[in-house]
Amino acid sequence: MLLLGCIKEVSDYELAISLPSGLSGFVPVTQISDAYSKLLTKQVAQGELLEELHSLPDMFSPGTLVRCIITSIEKRDNGSHSVKLSIDPKKVNKSLNCTALAAGMLLSGSVLSVEDHGYLIDIGVTGSHAFLPHQKAKNYIKAVKKGPDLKIGQNLNCVIVEAKNEGRVVCLSVDRSEVAASIATERQNWALSNLLPGLVVKARVQKVVPLGMKVTFLSYFTGIVDFMHMDPEKSMSYSPDQVVKACVLSVHPTSRVVRLTLRPPFLHPGGAPRQLPSQRMGAVLEEATVKAFYKQFGAVFELDDGTLAFARLKHLSKSRKSVKPGAFKEGCKHKCRIIDYSLMDEMCIVSLKHEIIEAQFLQYQDIHTGDVVQGKVVSLKPIGMQVKVAGGIRGLVPSLHLSDVILKQPEKKYNIGDEVKCRVLECNPGGKKLILTLKKSLVQSKLPVLSNYEDAKPGLITHGFVVCAREFGCIVKFYNDVKGLVPKNELSSEPISCPDKVFYEGQVLKVMVLKCEPQQERLLLSFRLSSKPGPEDIWKYTPKEKQEVKYQIGEIVDVKILKKKDNGLEVSILEDEDNVVAWIPTLHLSDFVATSKLLWHCLQEGDVLPRVMYLSDKGEHIILSRKSAVISAVQEEQVVRSFSEIQPGMLLTGYVRNVMLFGVFVEFPFGVTGLAPKVSMSDKFVTDTKDHFVVGQTVIAKVMSIDEEKQRVLLNLKVSECSSGDSAAESFALLNQYFKELKEIRNLLRRGEPSICELVPGRRVHLVVQDVRKDGSALFSGSSVTGLTVTATRYHLRDKNIAPGEKRKVFVLHVDALTSEVYVSLREELLKQRPKRVSMHSVSGFVSFCLS
C-alpha cells in the first residue's frame, strides 16, 4: 500500500514516520535506496567509514513529507502492530514505466551519484535515466540546510521538467517554487495503477456524508476524504459539485481505494504539516469540549487553545464496551491528556482514561536522570533485564546493575512480571534510550545525584560505582555517563599496592570530588572522605603553593594588564605590595558578549582598568569581572552567598556558564549554579538552545524551584518572568551602559586605528573603486579607509555601471572593528537622505532623561 507520510523522528538506523489516521511506521536504514544500501554493504565489508556515506540525520529532518510503501506488518508481543515501510523509489514508483513519464509529473527520487554538472537521480523506473542540474537544486539545498551538496541516498520530491526519447531521458527539478506549483492533470496520463501519494489535484465534491465526503478527480477517478482530513475552517460548508484542491494520501493496491486530504499544508507539494509545541505533549486539560462522536471510531474534541483533538474509542473509557455515547454529546466537557500528535492529521491524540491522566510518565521526555521509578520485568537477556516503566517506555538494566553484587544466575532472583524499583542512570529521549539500576545502594541513596560535570564541585560527596580497577587507581562512574579517576594515593589512608585485588567492577562506594574541569570532562576523585580538595594543579600530582587569598568577593580593585591571552587578560592588582596576579576572562570584560570581544581587541598590555570586581578564587588565579550588572548585584546585596539562602521567586543576576541541548547552566557570584531547562529559556519556542544563549552572556534569572537533597536549582530565563516591574528603566539602564562601553571602545580604537573611528553608519565619504568582483560586489579604497576592507554588495550597487579607478560617493552601512571590514551602499535613496548626527552625549542624555 502506498501512503504519504511525515518524518517524525530521525535516528542513525531508522526513520519514524507519522501516517494518516494516527498510525505510525518506521523506515529501516536498509530501505532508503539501492545506492545507499550498496554504500552500507561496502562500508561493512571494508570495515572503515566511507566519506560518501552520510548518516540519516545528515540527510533527513523531522517534518518532511515522504512517499512510502508498506513492506510488512508484524504483530508485537503486547498485541500492537509494527508497520515497516520503504521510501526506496524502486518500490514506491514500481508501477511507473518510461512511456508514462511526462513533463509536470511529481514523483519521488533518490540521489544516485554526484556529477560535475548535477546529480543522477534514481526514480525507480526501469530503462529511464534521470538528471538533476545544479541550477535546479541550489535553492532546495539552501533551504534544507543539510550541507553544500545533495548526498547519495537523499530522498527528493522531484518534478519532471522534460522527458525525452519516450521517457528514457528525464530532466528534473527540486526547486521549491516549481514543486509547490505542481498539480496533477489529465494530460499527464495518470492511471489507478500508477497513481502516487502526494499528488495535488483539483477534485469535485460528489457526496457529503457525516464521516466525510466522496470526490471525483482527474476526470474519472473517485476518492474518499474522511472527517479528519477536511479543512477545519470549511468542514461545514462543503456541498455537491463544489471544486476543491486535494492531495492524495493513500492508494490501496487491491481495492484501488484512494484517500485524499483537504488540509491546507498538504495542498502545496513540498509543504510541511504543523508541529505540536513540545510543552503541550503530555499536558492534562481540565475541560475539552466534544465536537463530534463517531460510535465506530471515537470522538473529536476542541481543546483550550481552539485546536482539535481525537480520542480513539478505546481511550474514551476503561474499555470499548463501557463507552456511553450519551456522555459524548456535542458540547459535553471532559478531562483528558495529550498522549500523541499525528503530524499527518495535524491533530492531537488524547486519552480520557484515568490511569493515563494520572500516570507519572507518559513519554521518555518526562523521565529525568536520578528519578526513582517502578517497573515490571519484561524479559531477561545476557546483556541485562528489560523493564517496562509505562505504556510505551521500556528501559534496560545492564547485567552489572541487577544487584549490588554480580549475579551469575539472575533468573533465580527475577521472574517475568515482577514489580521492581529502579533508579534512572541515563535517559536519552531522542534515541529512546533508558538505562536503569537495581543496585540498592544507588536506589536508596540520599546523596546528591551527579549527572553532569558542571555539578562536580570540589568537596561534593556522592555515590558512584567502580567500572575499572588498575595499577593507577579506579575509574568510577556516575549518572549520564559522567566518570572520574580515583588515583592510587586517594584510594585509602593506607597504601594499596594492588587496587584490582581490593575493588571490583560494579562496587558502589562513596566518593568525594577533588577537582573537575567540565570543558575537558576531567574529574578527579577520592575515596578518602576526610581529604580536602587538592590544589589547582593536582592533575600532575605535584604540590604547588597557592596564593594567599586576602580579597573578598565583591571587593573592587584597579588592575594593570600584564599579558593578553586568547581567552582573557592576565593582570596585576595595583596598590598591592605582593603584586598579586589575577585573571579577567574575555567574557567578563562586559555584560555584552560582542562588546567583550571588542574590548579585548582594543586593550593593550600596560593599560589600567579601574573598578574591577573580585569574583572568585579558582586556585591558580584570582578571577575578576568587569560585568557592570554583576558588580551592581553584589554591591546592592541582590545575591545569595550559599545554597541555603536561595528561595523560589528570587531574581538573581548571573552569567551563562554552559549551553547544553537540554538547557542552560547559569552561575551566580559566590559560586551557586542553576539550570534553566529548554522550556524555561525563552518566551519563544526553542529549537536549538545555542540560538538563544552563548557562554558568558549576562542574564537575570528567576528561581523556580530548589531541591535541597540534590542541591539543585531550577531557573527561568523568560523575559516575561524575569522583570522586576520597571522594565523600561531596566532597559534604559542597560542601553546607557552599552553606549558608555561603546564610547570607551571608540577612545581605545583611536590609539591604533583612528580611521575606523571616523567611519560611523550614516556617514557619506568619497572612495575609489578598487575592484569589481564576479558576484557583482565591489571593493573600494581611499586615504580615509587605509587598512580597511570596504565592500558594497551587488544589491547596494543597484545596477550602477562602475569601473576600477572611478571615484564614487558612498553611504556607510556597517563597521566591524574586529575584522576591520566596512560595508557601504551606492543606492540613491540612502545618499539623498538628509544626514542626521546623533552624539553619544545626546543619546546618554536621552537615556538619563527617560530614566528620570
Side-chain angles (χ1 to χ4, degrees), residues 39-280:
L39 283 178
L40 286 172
T41 305
K42 184 179 177 183
Q43 179 167 288
V44 171
Q46 292 184 359
E48 58 183 33
L49 297 175
L50 298 179
E51 188 178 345
E52 63 269 32
L53 180 63
H54 294 267
S55 68
L56 297 186
D58 284 342
M59 299 192 294
F60 297 92
S61 300
T64 307
L65 293 174
V66 288
R67 293 179 184 83
C68 319
I69 185 168
I70 297 175
T71 57
S72 68
I73 300 177
E74 299 171 3
K75 194 170 183 178
R76 297 192 184 102
D77 295 338
N78 61 2
S80 63
H81 291 84
S82 172
V83 181
K84 191 175 177 181
L85 307 165
S86 175
I87 57 171
D88 186 344
K90 280 186 169 57
K91 294 179 179 177
V92 174
N93 300 334
K94 64 181 179 182
S95 299
L96 288 172
N97 55 50
C98 290
T99 55
L101 301 179
M105 288 179 79
L106 192 70
L107 70 166
S108 293
S110 178
V111 179
L112 189 62
S113 65
V114 182
E115 307 297 330
D116 291 340
H117 301 291
Y119 307 88
L120 286 180
I121 305 297
D122 177 11
I123 57 171
V125 179
T126 305
S128 181
H129 299 279
F131 183 72
L132 172 63
H134 279 304
Q135 190 66 25
K136 293 291 186 179
K138 65 179 184 179
N139 288 340
Y140 174 83
I141 292 170
K142 187 177 180 181
V144 297
K145 298 177 182 177
K146 289 289 182 183
D149 295 297
L150 297 177
K151 302 166 182 71
I152 294 174
Q154 196 162 344
N155 193 270
L156 303 171
N157 203 14
C158 313
V159 63
I160 297 177
V161 177
E162 187 179 13
K164 300 177 183 177
N165 299 337
E166 297 182 328
R168 286 190 288 273
V169 179
V170 176
C171 183
L172 304 172
S173 173
V174 291
D175 186 278
R176 291 203 152 189
S177 58
E178 292 183 47
V179 170
S182 175
I183 292 183
T185 62
E186 290 84 352
R187 287 192 302 175
Q188 292 168 7
N189 297 319
W190 291 102
L192 270 175
S193 60
N194 63 20
L195 197 65
L196 294 173
L199 294 179
V200 175
V201 298
K202 286 187 177 177
R204 186 179 295 274
V205 178
Q206 196 175 38
K207 186 179 180 181
V208 180
V209 294
L211 293 179
M213 65 172 75
K214 195 174 182 180
V215 298
T216 59
F217 61 98
L218 295 178
S219 298
Y220 55 88
F221 295 158
T222 303
I224 296 169
V225 180
D226 67 42
F227 67 95
M228 294 176 77
H229 281 278
M230 294 182 180
D231 186 342
E233 295 182 5
K234 302 176 183 176
S235 58
M236 304 301 293
S237 61
Y238 292 112
S239 58
D241 288 331
Q242 182 180 347
V243 176
V244 293
K245 210 173 178 184
C247 174
V248 177
L249 275 182
S250 64
V251 183
H252 197 279
T254 52
S255 66
R256 300 297 183 192
V257 172
V258 180
R259 294 189 178 273
L260 303 99
T261 180
L262 305 184
R263 286 183 167 271
F266 299 94
L267 303 184
H268 301 284
R274 288 186 291 270
Q275 303 264 357
L276 179 74
S278 58
Q279 61 267 29
R280 289 284 283 174

Side-chain angles (χ1 to χ4, degrees), residues 440-452:
K440 279 189 178 180
S441 306
L442 292 176
V443 175
Q444 298 175 358
S445 174
K446 300 297 182 184
L447 294 176
V449 170
L450 184 55
S451 59
N452 59 72

Side-chain angles (χ1 to χ4, degrees), residues 514-515 532-539 542-546 619:
L514 294 181
K515 184 176 186 295
K532 293 182 179 178
E536 187 67 16
D537 58 343
I538 196 163
W539 300 112
T542 55
K544 178 177 178 180
E545 265 188 52
K546 201 173 159 185

